[in-house]
C-alpha cells in the first residue's frame, strides 16, 4: 500500500484544487446586494449610472454593450469561471483600505512608537510587494495577453453574425489598454506608498516629518483604493460578461489552471485566505455561495490553518491596532 507522505498529500491537495476550481457554472453580475443577472441590460444600466471608469469613451462602451445585447451565435451560457481573478481584485481593494486605516491610526496615536511603525512597514510590504505583485504579475504576463487573444480576434465565432467585427475588436482592445494602463498606474502608487512607509519607520527622522509621511500614506492608500475600485468597475461591467459570452468553459478552466501553476502552491494558499476574507466581508450571500461552490472542500477546511501558519505571519501588520 502506498504511504500518504506529506509531499504526496500536498500534491493531492493542489490537484484537487486545480481540478475543482471553476468547475461549477455560475452567472455573474457586479457584486452587490442587488442584481443577480449578468445580462447586458443590467450592464448597460450600470454604465449609464456612471459606474464605469474614466478613460473609456462612450463609443467604445456603446459598441460593446450592443454586442453583448445580441443573441449569442455559439450557444454560450453566460457563465464566468475565472472567479479567482475577481476575488483577488476584491482582496487587494480590501487590503488597500486596511492599510489606509492603519496609517490613520498611527497618525492619531503617536504613542504606538516602534511597534506601530514596524506594523506599517510589514503591512505595506504585504499589500504592495505580495498581494498587488502577485495579482499584477499574472495580469501583465498572462491575463492581458489572454484577453487580447480571446476578445480581439476578429475571426472569432462570436463575431460571425455579420456585426462589425473590427469595430468590436477595437473596442475590446481599448478596454484592455485601459486596464493595462491603470495597472501600471497602481503599481507606481504602490511603489511610492511602500517607500513612504519605509521612510516613516526610520528612527532618524523627526516626529513632524514622520507625521507628514503618515498623512502621505493615507492619501496614497486612498488613491490606490479609488483606482482599484475604478478598475474593478470596468472589469465587472465589460470584461466579465464579454468573457462569458465569447470564451468557452474549457478555455476558461484551462486558464484557471495556468494561473494557479503560475502563482505556486504556497502563494496560492496565502492569496486564498485573503480572497475568502474579502468575499465574506463583502456581505454578498451570492458571492459567499459562489465561493463555497467553486473552492473545493479540502481547500476550504484548510483556510483557518493557512491563516494561522501562512497568512498571518505576512499580513499581521494590517490588523495592528484593530480591536475586536
Amino acid at each position: 500500500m502506498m504511504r500518504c507522505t506529506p509531499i504526496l498529500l500536498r500534491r493531492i491537495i493542489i490537484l484537487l484544487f486545480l481540478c475543482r476550481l471553476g468547475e461549477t457554472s455560475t452567472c455573474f453580475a457586479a457584486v452587490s446586494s442587488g442584481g443577480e443577472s449578468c445580462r447586458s441590460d443590467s450592464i448597460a444600466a450600470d454604465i449609464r449610472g456612471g459606474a464605469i471608469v474614466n478613460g473609456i469613451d462612450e463609443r467604445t462602451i456603446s459598441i460593446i454593450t450592443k454586442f453583448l445585447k445580441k443573441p449569442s451565435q455559439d450557444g454560450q451560457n453566460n457563465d464566468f469561471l475565472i472567479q479567482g481573478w475577481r476575488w483577488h481584485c476584491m482582496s487587494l481593494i480590501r487590503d488597500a483600505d486596511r492599510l489606509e486605516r492603519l496609517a490613520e491610526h498611527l497618525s492619531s496615536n503617536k504613542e504606538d512608537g516602534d511597534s506601530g511603525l514596524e506594523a506599517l512597514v510589514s503591512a505595506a510590504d504585504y499589500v504592495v510587494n505580495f498581494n498587488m505583485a502577485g495579482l499584477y504579475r499574472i495580469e501583465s504576463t498572462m491575463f492581458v495577453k489572454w484577453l487580447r487573444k480571446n476578445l480581439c480576434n476578429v475571426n472569432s465565432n462570436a463575431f460571425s453574425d455579420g456585426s462589425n467585427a473590427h469595430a468590436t475588436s477595437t473596442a475590446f482592445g481599448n478596454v484592455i489598454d485601459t486596464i493595462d494602463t491603470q495597472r501600471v498606474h497602481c503599481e507606481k502608487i504602490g511603489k511610492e506608498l511602500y517607500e513612504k512607509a519605509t521612510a516613516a519607520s526610520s528612527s532618524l527622522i523627526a516626529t513632524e516629518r514622520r507625521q507628514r509621511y503618515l498623512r502621505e500614506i493615507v492619501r496614497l492608500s486612498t488613491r490606490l483604493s479609488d483606482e482599484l475600485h475604478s478598475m474593478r468597475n470596468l472589469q465587472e461591467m465589460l470584461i466579465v460578461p464579454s468573457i462569458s459570452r465569447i470564451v468557452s468553459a474549457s478555455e476558461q478552466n484551462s486558464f484557471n489552471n495556468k494561473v494557479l501553476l503560475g502563482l505556486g502552491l504556497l502563494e496560492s494558499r496565502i492569496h486564498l485566505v485573503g480572497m475568502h476574507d474579502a468575499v465574506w466581508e463583502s456581505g454578498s450571500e451570492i458571492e459567499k455561495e459562489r465561493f463555497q461552490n467553486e473552492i473545493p472542500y479540502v481547500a476550504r477546511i484548510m483556510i483557518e490553518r493557512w491563516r494561522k501558519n501562512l497568512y498571518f505571519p505576512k499580513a499581521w501588520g494590517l490588523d495592528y491596532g484593530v480591536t475586536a
Side-chain angles (χ1 to χ4, degrees):
M1 181 179 294
M2 181 175 62
R3 292 181 59 200
C4 189
T5 65
I7 293 176
L8 179 60
L9 180 60
R10 285 197 295 271
R11 289 177 177 173
I12 292 172
I13 290 173
I14 192 61
L15 284 172
L16 286 169
F17 194 91
L18 288 171
C19 292
R20 181 64 178 82
L21 184 60
E23 263 183 10
T24 306
S25 295
T26 54
C27 181
F28 169 72
V31 179
S32 67
S33 58
E36 300 178 36
S37 173
C38 58
R39 305 266 176 188
S40 57
D41 51 354
S42 298
I43 297 162
D46 284 331
I47 291 170
R48 287 193 299 271
I52 279 295
V53 297
N54 294 329
I56 301 295
D57 61 275
E58 292 184 5
R59 184 172 182 273
T60 294
I61 293 172
S62 176
I63 290 171
I64 294 177
T65 52
K66 285 179 181 178
F67 168 78
L68 292 171
K69 285 181 178 180
K70 291 182 178 180
S72 174
Q73 296 296 305
D74 54 5
Q76 295 293 341
N77 295 319
N78 286 7
D79 296 331
F80 181 80
L81 305 178
I82 311 175
Q83 302 294 352
W85 173 57
R86 294 183 51 254
W87 294 332
H88 202 156
C89 293
M90 292 171 63
S91 171
L92 183 55
I93 291 171
R94 173 178 178 263
D95 285 348
D97 291 340
R98 294 165 76 195
L99 183 58
E100 177 186 353
R101 290 194 295 269
L102 172 60
E104 288 176 336
H105 169 81
L106 295 177
S107 180
S108 59
N109 293 272
K110 300 176 183 178
E111 67 275 8
D112 279 305
D114 292 342
S115 61
L117 296 173
E118 181 184 357
L120 178 65
V121 175
S122 177
D125 181 55
Y126 174 78
V127 174
V128 175
N129 299 326
F130 182 81
N131 201 4
M132 177 188 286
L135 174 61
Y136 287 169
R137 184 177 76 248
I138 295 299
E139 284 196 359
S140 63
T141 61
M142 298 173 64
F143 194 56
V144 168
K145 295 177 184 177
W146 186 83
L147 287 177
R148 293 192 191 280
K149 171 188 171 185
N150 287 283
L151 300 185
C152 301
N153 181 6
V154 295
N155 297 316
S156 168
N157 290 334
F159 303 140
S160 63
D161 60 351
S163 61
N164 191 335
H166 286 284
T168 306
S169 173
T170 299
F172 281 128
N174 291 340
V175 173
I176 296 168
D177 287 343
T178 300
I179 289 176
D180 217 19
T181 299
Q182 284 186 307
R183 173 186 57 79
V184 172
H185 185 49
C186 286
E187 286 179 320
K188 290 180 179 178
I189 296 174
K191 180 181 179 181
E192 184 179 359
L193 196 158
Y194 180 69
E195 289 173 351
K196 298 289 186 184
T198 303
S201 68
S202 172
S203 60
L204 303 177
I205 62 174
T207 300
E208 182 180 347
R209 189 175 181 186
R210 178 173 290 115
Q211 289 298 109
R212 286 203 304 270
Y213 281 136
L214 291 172
R215 288 192 294 270
E216 274 293 291
I217 294 167
V218 171
R219 182 185 65 83
L220 289 168
S221 298
T222 302
R223 278 184 59 199
L224 179 60
S225 179
D226 289 345
E227 289 284 341
L228 292 170
H229 275 289
S230 178
M231 186 185 296
R232 183 162 178 255
N233 282 335
L234 173 62
Q235 295 165 347
E236 302 281 28
M237 298 301 159
L238 295 179
I239 294 297
V240 167
S242 298
I243 290 174
S244 303
R245 173 68 176 272
I246 295 173
V247 186
S248 68
S250 60
E251 175 64 22
Q252 291 187 58
N253 284 329
S254 175
F255 182 75
N256 271 334
N257 294 345
K258 292 176 183 177
V259 169
L260 287 169
L261 291 173
L263 284 174
L265 178 56
L266 177 62
E267 189 173 341
S268 295
R269 290 171 172 179
I270 300 172
H271 285 306
L272 185 62
V273 176
M275 293 177 193
H276 168 274
D277 292 351
V279 167
W280 255 252
E281 197 170 287
S282 74
S284 169
E285 294 304 319
I286 296 172
E287 204 66 50
K288 292 177 185 178
E289 182 179 357
R290 183 177 294 117
F291 189 92
Q292 296 280 26
N293 289 337
E294 299 210 5
I295 299 301
Y297 174 75
V298 173
R300 282 189 280 116
I301 64 173
M302 294 294 290
I303 284 176
E304 291 308 315
R305 177 178 293 182
W306 292 342
R307 181 194 311 284
K308 177 182 178 182
N309 296 334
L310 302 175
Y311 178 83
F312 184 76
K314 291 188 73 70
W316 67 272
L318 289 169
D319 289 326
Y320 183 87
V322 175
T323 55

